[in-house]
Amino acid sequence: MNWIEDKDELLMRQITGVGIFENKAGSKERGKAWQETADTLNKDEHFATLTARGARDRFTLLSRRHKAKTIVH
């Protein structure tokens, strides 16, 4: 999948709306929240094949990039 800034923004909004991080890491509830995020985004024409793992991996990448930019050396 080709990620563009608009898709990243939609992903972040959906993650916030679902409240993924209210659940414990590694829990079934968090896994269901990631799946719900992917299912909801797949209804959009731009996200035809997004999986829960793909959404989680993209979030991790964006998070790491953001942390790298904001850390002052």
Side-chain angles (χ1 to χ4, degrees):
M1 174 180 299
N2 292 328
W3 286 92
I4 57 174
E5 192 171 327
D6 291 340
K7 287 182 180 181
D8 290 337
E9 185 176 335
L10 287 172
L11 174 65
M12 293 301 188
R13 288 179 187 267
Q14 186 61 31
I15 288 170
T16 303
V18 171
I20 287 175
F21 300 107
E22 294 173 5
N23 301 308
K24 184 178 176 183
S27 68
K28 290 181 183 181
E29 292 81 12
R30 189 178 274 194
K32 288 179 184 177
W34 280 114
Q35 187 60 52
E36 180 183 339
T37 298
D39 292 343
T40 301
L41 289 173
N42 279 330
K43 292 177 185 174
D44 187 303
E45 62 189 36
H46 299 99
F47 292 94
T49 61
L50 183 65
T51 63
R53 176 72 182 258
R56 190 178 73 222
D57 288 349
R58 184 62 181 179
F59 171 79
T60 301
L61 176 71
L62 293 173
S63 176
R64 287 181 181 163
R65 284 183 183 170
H66 179 71
K67 285 178 186 177
K69 283 184 182 179
T70 58
I71 294 177
V72 178
H73 295 273

